[in-house]
Amino acid sequence: METNRSMARLLGRVGMEGITPDEAPAAFLRIAECGWEVTPGGAHVLSALKSAPPGPFSDVVHEEYTVNGRGMTDHDLPASGEERESRLLRRCVAYARSALVRTDALRSTVEISAYISLSYGGLADDHLTAHVTFCGDHPGVPPYAADLEAFGYESILRLRRAGLRPW
Protein backbone atom coordinates (compact mmCIF):
# COMPACT_ATOMS: atom_id res chain seq x y z
CA MET A 1 0.00 0.00 0.00
CA GLU A 2 1.25 3.45 -0.92
CA THR A 3 -0.27 6.79 0.03
CA ASN A 4 0.33 10.48 -0.22
CA ARG A 5 0.78 12.48 3.00
CA SER A 6 -2.87 13.49 3.08
CA MET A 7 -4.04 9.86 2.93
CA ALA A 8 -1.47 8.83 5.55
CA ARG A 9 -2.99 11.38 7.94
CA LEU A 10 -6.48 10.12 7.12
CA LEU A 11 -5.43 6.51 7.74
CA GLY A 12 -4.05 7.59 11.09
CA ARG A 13 -7.54 8.69 12.07
CA VAL A 14 -9.55 5.96 10.36
CA GLY A 15 -7.49 2.79 10.29
CA MET A 16 -8.18 -0.18 8.06
CA GLU A 17 -8.19 -3.00 10.56
CA GLY A 18 -10.99 -5.51 10.26
CA ILE A 19 -12.44 -4.27 6.97
CA THR A 20 -14.81 -6.87 5.52
CA PRO A 21 -16.44 -7.19 2.09
CA ASP A 22 -19.85 -6.34 3.51
CA GLU A 23 -18.66 -2.77 4.12
CA ALA A 24 -18.85 -2.20 0.37
CA PRO A 25 -22.26 -1.41 -1.13
CA ALA A 26 -23.98 -4.47 -2.62
CA ALA A 27 -23.90 -3.01 -6.14
CA PHE A 28 -20.12 -2.67 -5.97
CA LEU A 29 -19.72 -6.20 -4.67
CA ARG A 30 -21.77 -7.46 -7.64
CA ILE A 31 -19.39 -5.61 -9.96
CA ALA A 32 -16.40 -7.29 -8.29
CA GLU A 33 -18.06 -10.71 -8.39
CA CYS A 34 -18.46 -10.52 -12.18
CA GLY A 35 -14.69 -10.64 -12.46
CA TRP A 36 -12.22 -9.30 -14.97
CA GLU A 37 -11.39 -9.54 -18.64
CA VAL A 38 -8.72 -8.28 -20.98
CA THR A 39 -9.89 -6.11 -23.86
CA PRO A 40 -8.50 -6.42 -27.40
CA GLY A 41 -6.30 -3.42 -26.60
CA GLY A 42 -4.80 -5.22 -23.59
CA ALA A 43 -6.67 -3.33 -20.87
CA HIS A 44 -7.65 -5.20 -17.71
CA VAL A 45 -11.24 -4.19 -16.98
CA LEU A 46 -13.99 -5.27 -14.66
CA SER A 47 -16.40 -7.24 -16.85
CA ALA A 48 -19.50 -5.57 -15.40
CA LEU A 49 -18.16 -2.11 -16.28
CA LYS A 50 -17.05 -2.80 -19.83
CA SER A 51 -18.91 -0.57 -22.22
CA ALA A 52 -19.60 -0.86 -25.89
CA PRO A 53 -18.44 0.63 -28.13
CA PRO A 54 -15.07 1.18 -26.50
CA GLY A 55 -12.73 4.09 -26.90
CA PRO A 56 -11.05 5.89 -28.36
CA PHE A 57 -8.32 5.69 -25.75
CA SER A 58 -4.82 7.15 -25.86
CA ASP A 59 -3.29 4.03 -24.30
CA VAL A 60 -4.13 0.92 -22.29
CA VAL A 61 -3.97 2.69 -18.91
CA HIS A 62 -6.36 5.38 -20.18
CA GLU A 63 -8.80 2.62 -21.12
CA GLU A 64 -8.45 0.98 -17.71
CA TYR A 65 -9.04 4.06 -15.58
CA THR A 66 -11.88 5.23 -17.80
CA VAL A 67 -13.73 1.90 -17.78
CA ASN A 68 -12.95 0.88 -14.19
CA GLY A 69 -13.38 4.23 -12.41
CA ARG A 70 -16.44 4.89 -10.26
CA GLY A 71 -17.49 7.33 -7.59
CA MET A 72 -18.34 5.60 -4.33
CA THR A 73 -21.94 5.55 -3.14
CA ASP A 74 -22.38 7.98 -0.26
CA HIS A 75 -26.07 8.98 -0.16
CA ASP A 76 -26.62 6.93 3.00
CA LEU A 77 -23.77 8.57 4.91
CA PRO A 78 -23.79 11.67 7.10
CA ALA A 79 -23.24 14.88 5.12
CA SER A 80 -19.93 15.55 6.84
CA GLY A 81 -17.71 14.60 9.74
CA GLU A 82 -15.49 11.76 10.86
CA GLU A 83 -18.12 9.06 10.37
CA ARG A 84 -18.51 10.03 6.71
CA GLU A 85 -14.75 10.09 6.25
CA SER A 86 -14.24 6.71 7.91
CA ARG A 87 -17.10 4.89 6.23
CA LEU A 88 -16.27 6.27 2.76
CA LEU A 89 -12.67 5.13 3.00
CA ARG A 90 -13.54 1.73 4.45
CA ARG A 91 -16.18 0.97 1.81
CA CYS A 92 -13.74 1.98 -0.94
CA VAL A 93 -11.09 -0.38 0.45
CA ALA A 94 -13.66 -3.18 0.84
CA TYR A 95 -14.69 -2.80 -2.81
CA ALA A 96 -11.10 -2.50 -4.04
CA ARG A 97 -10.00 -5.63 -2.17
CA SER A 98 -13.04 -7.58 -3.39
CA ALA A 99 -12.16 -6.73 -6.98
CA LEU A 100 -8.39 -7.12 -6.69
CA VAL A 101 -8.50 -10.64 -5.29
CA ARG A 102 -10.40 -11.69 -8.40
CA THR A 103 -7.60 -10.56 -10.74
CA ASP A 104 -5.87 -13.90 -10.14
CA ALA A 105 -8.32 -15.52 -12.55
CA LEU A 106 -6.84 -13.42 -15.37
CA ARG A 107 -3.50 -15.25 -15.07
CA SER A 108 -1.88 -12.05 -16.27
CA THR A 109 1.66 -10.85 -15.70
CA VAL A 110 0.35 -7.28 -15.40
CA GLU A 111 0.10 -6.10 -11.80
CA ILE A 112 -3.28 -4.50 -11.16
CA SER A 113 -3.67 -1.80 -8.51
CA ALA A 114 -6.65 0.01 -7.04
CA TYR A 115 -6.43 3.77 -6.68
CA ILE A 116 -8.70 5.18 -3.98
CA SER A 117 -9.09 8.93 -3.66
CA LEU A 118 -11.02 11.11 -1.27
CA SER A 119 -11.43 14.80 -1.96
CA TYR A 120 -13.69 17.73 -1.25
CA GLY A 121 -16.03 19.10 -3.88
CA GLY A 122 -19.47 20.61 -4.18
CA LEU A 123 -20.43 24.25 -4.48
CA ALA A 124 -18.39 25.28 -1.44
CA ASP A 125 -15.67 22.60 -1.63
CA ASP A 126 -17.01 21.17 1.62
CA HIS A 127 -18.49 17.84 0.53
CA LEU A 128 -16.18 14.80 0.87
CA THR A 129 -16.47 12.35 -2.01
CA ALA A 130 -14.57 9.21 -2.96
CA HIS A 131 -13.51 7.52 -6.18
CA VAL A 132 -12.04 4.10 -6.98
CA THR A 133 -10.37 2.97 -10.18
CA PHE A 134 -8.12 0.10 -11.21
CA CYS A 135 -5.10 0.20 -13.52
CA GLY A 136 -2.26 -2.09 -14.44
CA ASP A 137 1.48 -1.55 -14.63
CA HIS A 138 2.08 -2.02 -18.34
CA PRO A 139 5.63 -2.04 -19.73
CA GLY A 140 6.37 1.08 -21.75
CA VAL A 141 3.16 2.88 -20.69
CA PRO A 142 3.18 5.69 -18.12
CA PRO A 143 1.39 4.65 -14.92
CA TYR A 144 -1.90 6.14 -13.79
CA ALA A 145 -0.24 7.90 -10.86
CA ALA A 146 3.56 7.88 -10.81
CA ASP A 147 3.81 10.40 -7.95
CA LEU A 148 1.03 10.19 -5.38
CA GLU A 149 2.23 13.43 -3.76
CA ALA A 150 1.37 15.24 -7.00
CA PHE A 151 -2.27 14.78 -6.03
CA GLY A 152 -2.19 17.76 -3.69
CA TYR A 153 -5.92 18.37 -3.42
CA GLU A 154 -6.94 14.85 -2.50
CA SER A 155 -6.01 11.92 -0.33
CA ILE A 156 -4.91 9.01 -2.51
CA LEU A 157 -4.04 5.41 -1.77
CA ARG A 158 -2.63 2.77 -4.10
CA LEU A 159 -3.57 -0.76 -3.09
CA ARG A 160 -1.70 -3.46 -4.99
CA ARG A 161 -2.96 -6.99 -5.55
CA ALA A 162 0.42 -8.36 -4.56
CA GLY A 163 0.45 -9.21 -0.89
CA LEU A 164 -3.29 -8.93 -0.30
CA ARG A 165 -4.52 -11.77 1.83
CA PRO A 166 -7.81 -13.48 0.99
CA TRP A 167 -10.80 -12.37 3.05
Side-chain angles (χ1 to χ4, degrees):
M1 176 173 62
E2 302 162 50
T3 70
N4 65 1
R5 283 187 284 267
S6 176
M7 180 61 80
R9 285 191 299 274
L10 177 59
L11 288 171
R13 292 190 304 273
V14 172
M16 294 198 323
E17 299 80 30
I19 294 176
T20 62
D22 63 346
E23 291 186 62
F28 284 79
L29 289 178
R30 285 191 295 273
I31 290 168
E33 288 167 0
C34 288
W36 294 81
E37 60 187 85
V38 179
T39 67
H44 295 65
V45 299
L46 286 154
S47 298
L49 300 179
K50 187 177 169 192
S51 61
F57 302 107
S58 58
D59 61 37
V60 67
V61 172
H62 179 211
E63 183 176 359
E64 288 171 345
Y65 72 74
T66 300
V67 172
N68 293 326
R70 293 295 181 272
M72 181 49 67
T73 302
D74 63 359
H75 61 84
D76 60 327
L77 299 178
S80 62
E82 289 180 15
E83 182 182 357
R84 178 180 183 79
E85 183 179 71
S86 175
R87 290 182 57 196
L88 258 178
L89 179 57
R90 290 178 66 88
R91 66 178 42 171
C92 288
V93 171
Y95 166 56
R97 283 189 53 129
S98 294
L100 284 174
V101 297
R102 287 175 172 80
T103 62
D104 293 344
L106 286 170
R107 299 191 194 318
S108 175
T109 59
V110 173
E111 181 181 16
I112 306 296
S113 296
Y115 292 88
I116 299 168
S117 64
L118 277 75
S119 61
Y120 284 92
L123 297 176
D125 269 349
D126 62 351
H127 187 72
L128 184 66
T129 61
H131 185 267
V132 180
T133 196
F134 301 89
C135 296
D137 291 333
H138 297 272
V141 180
Y144 174 68
D147 177 10
L148 298 184
E149 289 302 331
F151 292 79
Y153 295 100
E154 60 192 301
S155 299
I156 189 162
L157 176 152
R158 178 182 182 182
L159 188 61
R160 296 175 186 261
R161 169 58 184 113
L164 276 184
R165 291 169 292 162
W167 291 109

